[in-house]
Amino acid sequence: MPATQKPMRYGHTEGHTDVCFDDSGSCIVTCGSDGDVRIWEDLDDDDPKSINVGEKAYSCALKNGKLVTAVSNNTIQVHTFPEGVPDGILTRFTTNANHVIFNGDGSKIAAGSSDFIVKVVEVMDSSQQKTFRGHDAPVLSLSFDPKNIFLASASCDGSVRVWQISDQTCAVSWPLLQKCNDVINAKSICRLAWQPKSGKLLAIPVEKSVKLYRRETWSNQFDLSDNFISQTLNIVTWSPCGQYLAAGSINGLIIVWNVETRDCLERVKHEKGYAICGLAWHPTCGQIAYTDAEGNLGLLENVCDPSGKKSSSKVSSRVEKDYSDLFDGDDASNAGDFLNDNASKTPSFSKGIINDGEDDDDLMLTSSHPRQRSHILEDDENSVDITLLKNGSSLLKEDEEDDQADNINNLPLVTSQRPFYDGPMPTPRQKPFQSGSTPLHLTHRFMVWNSVGIIRCYNDEQDNAIDVEFHDTSIHHATHLSNTLNYTVADLSHEAILLACESTDELASKLHCLHFSSWDSSKEWIVDMPQNEDIEAICLGQGWAAAATGALLLRLFTIGGVQKEVFSLPGPVVSMAGHGEQLFIVYHRGTGFDGDQCLGVQLLELGRKKKQIPCGDPLPLTRKSYLTWVGFSAEGTPCYVDSEGIVRMLNRGLGNTWTPVCDTREHCKGKSDHYWVVGVHENPQQLRCIPCKGSRFPPTLPRPAVAILSFKLPYCQIATEKGQMEEQYWRSVMFHNYLDYLAKNGYEYEESTKDQAIREQQELLMKMLALSCKLEREFRCVELADLMTQNAVNLAIKYASRSRKLTLAQRLSELAMEKAAELAVTQEEEEEEEEEEEEGFRKKPNAGYYNTASEWSQPRLRNQVEEDAEDSGEADEVEEKPEIHKHRQNSFSKSANSSDMPPVKSGTVISSNQGQANPFKVSVSSKEPATSVNTARSTNILDNMNKSSRKSTALNRAASNDKSPVIKPLIPKPKSKQASAASYFQKRTSQAGKTDEVKEENPKNLSSETPAVSPQNTENQRPKTGFQMWLEENRSNILSDNPDFSDEADIIKEGMLRFRVLSAEERKAWTDKAKGGTASDGAETKKRKRLIDENNETERTESQKEETKENLNLPKKRKPLDLSTNQKLSAFAFKQE
């Protein structure tokens, strides 16, 4: 049978790696450029013993319990084996030794160094040394004659010499190799080998063949070669019986010949095409261990099995075709696990390999260099173009041979010439995988690691079991399950454990759920899949489970085991994740090309009203990468990670696009290091992952430690202050989109989180505006102000005025008035819609909904709470988003009216002391100016404004006039988009567009003092305020006290200061006097008014004063219908009159 290639393991850091077996073959010993010697019980050993022997280990040899290493401190050291205790130094060189070997009985070692010298040293008495001089360049490799008479050596001077050990003379020298000045520049390390036992032949790898020289005659008996060898051979080794010879090339091809018949028995291609630099044959059975120049360890089994001998016209191929070489990473076993075995049946799935000269930095087999690919188009998949292989370019041959050696079984070696295909090659599809799991072939593996807990699987001689551990043991205690059905995939949630197994000849594929949160005594259920339908991916959500099968079906179940909907997937599933009511499915949309995967995504909401959000959209991946993790943030935003370490998150604020939020490779120290993601958190912003040194995934033991990485959006010029603030702003916006999603879907969330986010974003915008202002980028300032809330724009106007940027201040004031107008109109439209929806909903309480009695009663309950809160003046602080009432049992189950009744709000009240105005405070009284209607997300706030009865009356307002500086126009309710004209400097309630009751003008606000055009009727002008009337009577006094006042603005300022010191009663009297005949307008008041609480208004008086003060310098928007008024306003605002 053909040789079996096991998935490779990461052994050492990148660099030359050597390998050997111990005397009995019970363990594999490797050394590498990290200075460690590792002892592997077998290839699946997750925790090999490690012995540090120095800074770098170039070569190792093992015999009779002695481990000898050539180390970077120019010495040959001895350690006991397997204890690893240092046992002295055998010899020293002036530079590092490149190769060390034992003789047949283990009594001597030979070492060759870069100082051109070869030494033979007695192991038991290191003073007994022999030195061989004659090479003119560093020594590459050595081999002892089994009879201890000769020693062969290869050198960078291009020669291979055979030495007589007894007298240290050179018996023969062949100029076989290319000359070079150092080992690192040598094209081949030329690891030569004597035939075991007899020592009859000396095998030397030269270019693309192995030359065999006869002992003592030193004649070239014959050469072993193969048409599939496209690059120089690096190393040869004999089987212990001396019958077979194996060779490894610098492009990762391993070939085995029968030396007697000169037949090629095995051809195996390295998964990633790395140079083979270590090759060791098991002392007793048909195993070959090999290492590559990137520190990986591999194993071939069943090599030259008697039942599998092939004639020269046949070539054995791997049974296990993972096609993992299209996927990067040192831990090839992991990559291999992701890929689809079925692809091997299609000869068109060509394998790409790395050329010697290519840069391997990103460890991609299909590297970023553009490269020619070829593939044979033929009627019969068994025919191969050998003429093309011989005559074409080396690159063409290299790719072609890879295809033949790995993709096609039983190829004849010679055939006629055929046309060839030269174009983009299809990429094999990656296999289905479970996020947070490690590869299936490991005996100890993670089945899942997520934010709830960890499921481990142990499958060895002693036990076949599953351990479940919860991060929070209050959810459930740790559980141990037997794994008799051989479950391969698992998922874990706060409610249940979900397991699935593949089908066998006797048993169907099964879905097994352990519903530990069930309140009855039956805690588990099992469902058998139909015949020939295997479960490939599973996931759990809130109250449901899903399984995707090989029949392209997705089956939904309740958590208790009721079968629900079944639907077809557009392509083979890759992975799934669930969170709350959301189901995230990634599948193959088609075939990718040139190393790219072609994936699609479906995101479904499985609540009362089932819907798809992205449906069949392509899933963006980094070039030549594949998917490694799919899931949700703790807050419910879909995320995924690709093999290049890029974490992407769904940006709901930008039309459900995918935004890269972190590059984990930036945090890796070595190029073979990776981060294994286990969780994403948006608040606080944390990426939870496990650092894996030299691997893509962690071992189960010791328990891996979780690291926390920060997020960073890939913005330009991140080193500059501007770039940093832009990145911080948009990251804050994106990472708080989930709040809008939760509110929209009726979930519970912290209102204070949103307030803090808005505050943080506005602060960043103000800093950016200040920076742009300093740089004289006034247009950019306006662009930034467009992103601000209305109150922040007021601050920006103040800043611009103080910075003497008068044009900018004028532009900003126009922008502020536009914002106010838009808000007024939007608010009016939203309230009308809400009213219609509410009426319609009350007529049809059950339309489109499944309502229990308690659900139906919730809106009324909440409204009642809210009315109570309003009566006490606290409803002004009610959160802007609907929140789930405490009576809900489940935070993810929606309220009956959450989607169609935005006005219904929680009774939760946030108390707030408004001692002074905070420009970035969001959840403030509805009576404050521009704070409840001025935020960047004002539309959303208004969408969800409360519609409880508003019983505000003119009488109540009059009673608290002296304490409530509410700036309102004394005009009927606005009915059009023209509302902005008068509303800019006017204080609004949360129902800003709906009030036409009589309200007191702020006696301290100059902007409302100046006559302006009415928003409804341009012929009507505002009546005078109390302050205006007071100022007219006292103007002469002010001028007499301050004869130097020539500017109207100075007079107004002085007047304001004097008016403020008047007693409340006096000011009230002036206000009443000014109101005069307008009080009758109160009859037109609309039915929906918010009750104004006296206490709250007292509390906000100070903040209103400060806000009003800020507004002093703010210009009014130009009105085409009244230019004189506009001129007066701007002259007043900028003191230019």
Side-chain angles (χ1 to χ4, degrees):
M1 58 181 288
T4 302
Q5 184 178 19
K6 297 191 76 172
M8 297 199 71
R9 291 294 305 272
Y10 167 79
H12 301 271
T13 53
E14 303 86 349
H16 177 81
T17 315
D18 203 3
V19 64
C20 62
F21 282 96
D22 70 339
D23 298 337
S24 64
S26 60
C27 54
I28 305 168
V29 178
T30 60
C31 71
S33 54
D34 51 9
D36 288 340
V37 172
R38 294 208 167 92
I39 303 166
W40 309 74
E41 292 179 7
D42 56 40
L43 198 64
D44 293 331
D45 186 355
D46 282 338
D47 189 22
K49 182 176 179 181
S50 188
I51 306 166
N52 187 266
V53 295
E55 195 174 317
K56 278 190 177 183
Y58 296 103
S59 178
C60 65
L62 177 60
K63 207 137 205 166
N64 302 339
K66 298 280 186 184
L67 174 64
V68 177
T69 50
V71 193
S72 54
N73 61 0
N74 310 339
T75 63
I76 304 296
Q77 298 180 359
V78 186
H79 288 75
T80 61
F81 181 85
E83 296 83 11
V85 178
D87 197 18
I89 292 173
L90 285 179
T91 187
R92 295 179 186 274
F93 295 92
T94 54
T95 63
N96 54 280
N98 299 316
H99 196 201
V100 61
I101 54 166
F102 272 104
N103 66 349
D105 59 10
S107 60
K108 296 175 183 175
I109 64 105
S113 163
S114 290
D115 59 8
F116 314 169
I117 292 174
V118 177
K119 290 183 180 180
V120 173
V121 186
E122 293 278 349
V123 175
M124 301 312 293
D125 182 6
S126 60
S127 62
Q128 299 295 312
Q129 297 191 7
K130 292 183 178 180
T131 304
F132 300 77
R133 301 177 188 274
H135 281 299
D136 299 323
V139 179
L140 289 168
S141 67
L142 304 167
S143 181
F144 262 117
D145 166 25
K147 297 184 177 178
N148 281 336
I149 298 171
F150 299 109
L151 175 70
S153 64
S155 166
C156 290
D157 60 12
S159 69
V160 174
R161 293 175 178 244
V162 178
W163 309 84
Q164 193 101 21
I165 296 175
S166 56
D167 57 4
Q168 291 128 277
T169 57
C170 179
V172 67
S173 176
W174 300 289
L176 298 175
L177 311 176
Q178 287 187 8
K179 292 184 179 181
C180 59
N181 59 1
D182 199 359
V183 180
I184 58 171
N185 298 323
K187 193 166 184 185
S188 162
I189 58 172
C190 192
R191 289 274 194 266
L192 35 74
W194 289 90
Q195 189 174 19
K197 298 178 182 175
S198 66
K200 180 181 171 185
L201 296 170
L202 172 63
I204 307 169
V206 179
E207 295 294 332
K208 298 176 186 177
S209 65
V210 179
K211 291 185 176 292
L212 288 103
Y213 289 84
R214 189 173 180 81
R215 182 190 184 85
E216 293 182 345
T217 66
W218 309 125
S219 60
N220 183 7
Q221 290 290 95
F222 55 89
D223 292 355
L224 293 174
S225 62
D226 188 79
N227 289 324
F228 284 83
I229 301 173
S230 61
Q231 298 282 322
T232 305
L233 295 176
N234 214 24
I235 182 170
V236 296
T237 187
W238 291 83
S239 65
C241 63
Q243 189 180 357
Y244 307 109
L245 182 71
S249 74
I250 59 174
N251 68 335
L253 185 65
I254 299 173
I255 292 196
V256 181
W257 292 274
N258 182 325
V259 179
E260 288 178 19
T261 64
R262 303 181 199 178
D263 291 341
C264 173
L265 301 180
E266 307 281 3
R267 295 190 192 101
V268 177
K269 191 71 177 66
H270 183 292
E271 293 169 335
K272 295 186 173 60
Y274 298 149
I276 306 295
C277 57
L279 207 56
W281 206 299
H282 192 283
T284 57
C285 67
Q287 283 189 344
I288 295 178
Y290 61 97
T291 52
D292 62 31
E294 294 292 328
N296 300 308
L297 168 67
L299 189 67
L300 299 182
E301 294 182 332
N302 305 320
V303 182
C304 300
D305 188 310
S307 63
K309 290 185 183 177
K310 309 284 182 182
S311 69
S312 61
S313 64
K314 303 287 183 183
V315 57
S316 68
S317 178
R318 278 188 290 159
V319 172
E320 224 176 276
K321 295 192 181 74
D322 325 87
Y323 289 97
S324 55
D325 48 348
L326 277 175
F327 297 85
D328 63 20
D330 293 80
D331 223 306
S333 56
N334 186 27
D337 228 33
F338 287 133
L339 307 180
N340 200 335
D341 286 325
N342 297 335
S344 63
K345 296 171 186 172
T346 313
S348 60
F349 283 131
S350 167
K351 302 181 75 175
I353 66 170
I354 279 190
N355 287 333
D356 294 334
E358 287 185 348
D359 178 10
D360 300 343
D361 278 350
D362 51 356
L363 299 180
M364 280 298 296
L365 261 291
T366 42
S367 73
S368 56
H369 301 277
R371 76 140 130 301
Q372 186 181 22
R373 292 174 171 269
S374 64
H375 199 281
I376 305 229
L377 293 176
E378 50 201 6
D379 310 327
D380 172 13
E381 70 174 77
N382 290 331
S383 56
V384 176
D385 185 356
I386 294 304
T387 313
L388 177 66
L389 291 175
K390 289 181 176 173
N391 300 334
S393 70
S394 64
L395 182 59
L396 187 63
K397 289 198 292 185
E398 186 178 315
D399 279 352
E400 201 55 55
E401 286 154 7
D402 296 343
D403 292 347
Q404 297 153 2
D406 282 60
N407 288 342
I408 306 173
N409 285 325
N410 303 327
L411 302 183
L413 293 184
V414 180
T415 185
S416 59
Q417 182 162 350
R418 300 278 184 141
F420 64 91
Y421 169 68
D422 184 16
M425 298 310 304
T427 307
R429 293 173 173 176
Q430 74 174 97
K431 293 180 188 176
F433 70 94
Q434 195 72 14
S435 292
S437 67
T438 51
L440 200 57
H441 69 271
L442 300 176
T443 53
H444 292 191
R445 61 181 286 255
F446 292 111
M447 296 183 81
V448 69
W449 182 321
N450 61 21
S451 56
V452 178
I454 305 167
I455 301 182
R456 292 184 186 84
C457 179
Y458 304 96
N459 187 4
D460 48 31
E461 295 79 16
Q462 290 84 26
D463 200 6
N464 186 3
I466 292 171
D467 278 350
V468 184
E469 174 190 328
F470 292 84
H471 299 314
D472 180 0
T473 51
S474 65
I475 298 172
H476 197 264
H477 57 79
T479 306
H480 182 82
L481 310 168
S482 63
N483 191 14
T484 51
L485 289 172
N486 196 24
Y487 293 116
T488 52
V489 287
D491 199 11
L492 182 64
S493 75
H494 292 281
E495 296 178 312
I497 301 163
L498 193 63
L499 302 163
C501 64
E502 297 174 347
S503 61
T504 62
D505 294 338
E506 298 83 23
L507 298 172
S509 177
K510 296 178 186 295
L511 185 69
H512 184 183
C513 179
L514 286 85
H515 183 204
F516 55 76
S517 66
S518 171
W519 46 263
D520 67 8
S521 56
S522 301
K523 301 287 186 186
E524 59 183 287
W525 50 268
I526 296 181
V527 172
D528 286 0
M529 295 295 116
Q531 193 175 4
N532 300 324
E533 189 174 329
D534 272 3
I535 294 173
E536 295 185 335
I538 58 174
C539 69
L540 282 165
Q542 192 80 22
W544 56 267
T549 69
L552 301 189
L553 290 178
L554 192 131
R555 299 177 177 275
L556 291 172
F557 301 84
T558 65
I559 202 71
V562 178
Q563 294 191 59
K564 294 184 74 183
E565 292 87 353
V566 178
F567 62 90
S568 289
L569 293 170
V573 72
V574 177
S575 194
M576 294 198 305
H579 182 280
E581 294 173 348
Q582 299 178 84
L583 171 59
F584 185 18
I585 310 165
V586 179
Y587 59 90
H588 289 287
R589 292 174 59 241
T591 301
F593 286 89
D594 281 345
D596 295 331
Q597 293 290 322
C598 181
L599 304 181
V601 58
Q602 274 187 311
L603 184 60
L604 294 93
E605 291 186 357
L606 305 173
R608 302 280 181 214
K609 296 177 74 174
K610 295 176 175 60
K611 58 181 177 179
Q612 284 196 116
I613 308 154
C615 173
D617 292 357
L619 190 73
L621 290 174
T622 310
R623 290 299 310 275
K624 301 190 187 303
S625 70
Y626 56 94
L627 195 65
T628 56
W629 186 88
V630 168
F632 288 85
S633 69
E635 291 75 15
T637 305
C639 312
Y640 65 95
V641 186
D642 64 29
S643 56
E644 288 297 294
I646 305 296
V647 183
R648 291 178 178 82
M649 182 179 283
L650 187 70
N651 190 348
R652 300 189 198 269
L654 193 62
N656 292 324
T657 51
W658 298 96
T659 302
V661 293
C662 183
D663 182 358
T664 61
R665 300 290 297 164
E666 285 184 359
H667 302 271
C668 295
K669 293 179 181 173
K671 62 181 180 179
S672 59
D673 298 345
H674 296 86
Y675 280 95
W676 195 66
V677 174
V678 296
V680 178
H681 292 260
E682 292 177 82
N683 185 30
Q685 294 179 18
Q686 290 180 350
L687 179 67
R688 300 176 66 82
C689 45
I690 294 169
C692 305
K693 187 167 174 59
S695 172
R696 285 198 166 271
F697 54 84
T700 53
L701 292 172
R703 183 191 177 95
V706 176
I708 292 175
L709 301 184
S710 56
F711 292 103
K712 187 170 78 172
L713 272 57
Y715 274 75
C716 304
Q717 296 178 319
I718 209 77
T720 64
E721 191 180 3
K722 171 179 174 284
Q724 281 175 5
M725 287 193 289
E726 286 168 339
E727 190 273 337
Q728 287 171 23
Y729 171 77
W730 288 110
R731 177 154 45 88
S732 175
V733 169
M734 182 174 168
F735 277 76
H736 290 92
N737 281 340
Y738 76 92
L739 293 170
D740 293 333
Y741 175 78
L742 293 180
K744 180 182 168 189
N745 288 275
Y747 293 136
E748 205 169 45
Y749 73 98
E750 288 287 334
E751 182 64 28
S752 57
T753 307
K754 186 149 210 169
D755 298 345
Q756 189 178 343
I758 295 293
R759 200 156 44 239
E760 173 189 302
Q761 289 160 21
Q762 298 307 307
E763 284 170 2
L764 285 165
L765 287 171
M766 282 302 296
K767 286 178 187 173
M768 285 191 275
L769 184 132
L771 183 65
S772 300
C773 215
K774 286 176 187 170
L775 297 173
E776 304 288 333
R777 298 273 186 182
E778 295 189 11
F779 189 90
R780 187 182 292 167
C781 290
V782 177
E783 290 176 320
L784 289 167
D786 197 32
L787 300 171
M788 293 181 181
T789 62
Q790 193 171 347
N791 199 51
V793 175
N794 293 352
L795 286 178
I797 296 169
K798 188 176 181 182
Y799 180 86
S801 301
R802 287 182 176 173
S803 304
R804 306 208 175 275
K805 311 275 187 190
L806 303 183
T807 310
L808 175 61
Q810 174 69 27
R811 295 271 183 189
L812 292 177
S813 68
E814 293 172 7
L815 177 67
M817 285 195 279
E818 286 171 18
K819 279 181 176 287
E822 288 168 10
L823 287 176
V825 173
T826 307
Q827 185 179 1
E828 184 180 348
E829 289 171 357
E830 291 295 336
E831 287 180 345
E832 287 171 2
E833 284 174 16
E834 285 170 10
E835 193 173 32
E836 289 169 11
E837 283 177 13
E838 192 178 49
E839 288 169 4
F841 193 82
R842 282 177 180 155
K843 286 174 189 173
K844 300 179 187 176
N846 289 308
Y849 287 87
Y850 175 81
N851 290 307
T852 61
S854 59
E855 284 174 323
W856 182 238
S857 64
Q858 279 176 9
R860 290 189 59 186
L861 176 63
R862 288 187 211 157
N863 282 338
Q864 188 58 49
V865 173
E866 208 160 19
E867 285 174 23
D868 296 343
E870 285 178 15
D871 291 341
S872 62
E874 291 172 343
D876 301 324
E877 307 264 12
V878 164
E879 297 177 5
E880 289 110 335
K881 299 284 178 185
E883 200 177 287
I884 300 303
H885 196 268
K886 286 178 184 174
H887 288 213
R888 291 201 185 176
Q889 214 170 8
N890 182 347
S891 65
F892 285 103
S893 60
K894 297 184 189 177
S895 76
N897 61 339
S898 60
S899 54
D900 276 0
M901 287 189 63
V904 178
K905 300 181 64 175
S906 164
T908 309
V909 171
I910 294 180
S911 61
S912 170
N913 265 339
Q914 300 287 331
Q916 66 178 48
N918 182 341
F920 298 107
K921 184 70 179 170
V922 176
S923 79
V924 292
S925 166
S926 57
K927 293 179 278 293
E928 286 227 313
T931 45
S932 61
V933 292
N934 68 349
T935 63
R937 15 165 224 70
S938 55
T939 310
N940 294 333
I941 297 171
L942 295 166
D943 286 347
N944 297 286
M945 276 300 170
N946 194 288
K947 287 205 316 255
S948 318
S949 61
R950 300 173 177 100
K951 303 172 185 173
S952 168
T953 61
L955 292 175
N956 186 69
R957 189 168 294 281
S960 56
N961 269 345
D962 55 323
K963 296 179 184 175
S964 56
V966 179
I967 307 171
K968 286 302 251 179
L970 301 174
I971 48 177
K973 171 188 167 185
K975 291 177 185 170
S976 72
K977 293 194 178 182
Q978 304 265 325
S980 62
S983 62
Y984 169 53
F985 289 120
Q986 295 159 9
K987 300 282 181 183
R988 302 176 179 279
T989 65
S990 296
Q991 294 75 34
K994 309 191 213 49
T995 168
D996 54 353
E997 75 170 301
V998 179
K999 294 207 178 171
E1000 167 195 29
E1001 292 292 323
N1002 184 347
K1004 305 172 225 29
N1005 192 332
L1006 281 178
S1007 59
S1008 51
E1009 169 218 338
T1010 312
V1013 183
S1014 166
Q1016 287 74 35
N1017 188 346
T1018 51
E1019 294 140 19
N1020 292 342
Q1021 287 191 333
R1022 290 187 201 160
K1024 289 184 178 179
T1025 63
F1027 171 68
Q1028 287 174 309
M1029 298 188 73
W1030 178 88
L1031 186 63
E1032 285 175 5
E1033 292 199 14
N1034 291 274
R1035 181 184 292 270
S1036 56
N1037 295 339
I1038 293 170
L1039 286 172
S1040 62
D1041 293 346
N1042 300 279
D1044 54 332
F1045 279 5
S1046 59
D1047 196 335
E1048 178 67 17
D1050 293 335
I1051 299 170
I1052 292 167
K1053 268 189 182 177
E1054 178 66 24
M1056 283 195 73
L1057 292 172
R1058 296 190 182 192
F1059 189 74
R1060 279 186 191 148
V1061 299
L1062 296 177
S1063 67
E1065 289 75 14
E1066 289 177 297
R1067 280 181 291 177
K1068 185 172 181 297
W1070 280 104
T1071 304
D1072 291 343
K1073 185 176 176 182
K1075 287 164 84 170
T1078 62
S1080 58
D1081 293 347
E1084 300 171 10
T1085 304
K1086 278 195 75 171
K1087 62 180 177 183
R1088 289 179 299 178
K1089 291 289 185 287
R1090 186 174 286 243
L1091 191 62
I1092 305 298
D1093 179 65
E1094 198 166 350
N1095 296 334
N1096 275 359
E1097 300 214 318
T1098 308
E1099 194 175 305
R1100 289 170 178 72
T1101 304
E1102 282 304 313
S1103 64
Q1104 297 290 46
K1105 286 180 182 177
E1106 292 200 14
E1107 300 251 346
T1108 309
K1109 200 171 178 182
E1110 285 172 16
N1111 290 339
L1112 281 175
N1113 295 327
L1114 309 185
K1116 289 289 281 186
K1117 185 174 178 179
R1118 291 193 176 101
K1119 288 289 174 182
L1121 299 175
D1122 193 345
L1123 291 176
S1124 60
T1125 303
N1126 193 32
Q1127 286 162 0
K1128 286 179 189 174
L1129 278 171
S1130 43
F1132 147 64
F1134 293 110
K1135 307 177 184 176
Q1136 291 174 336
E1137 201 171 56

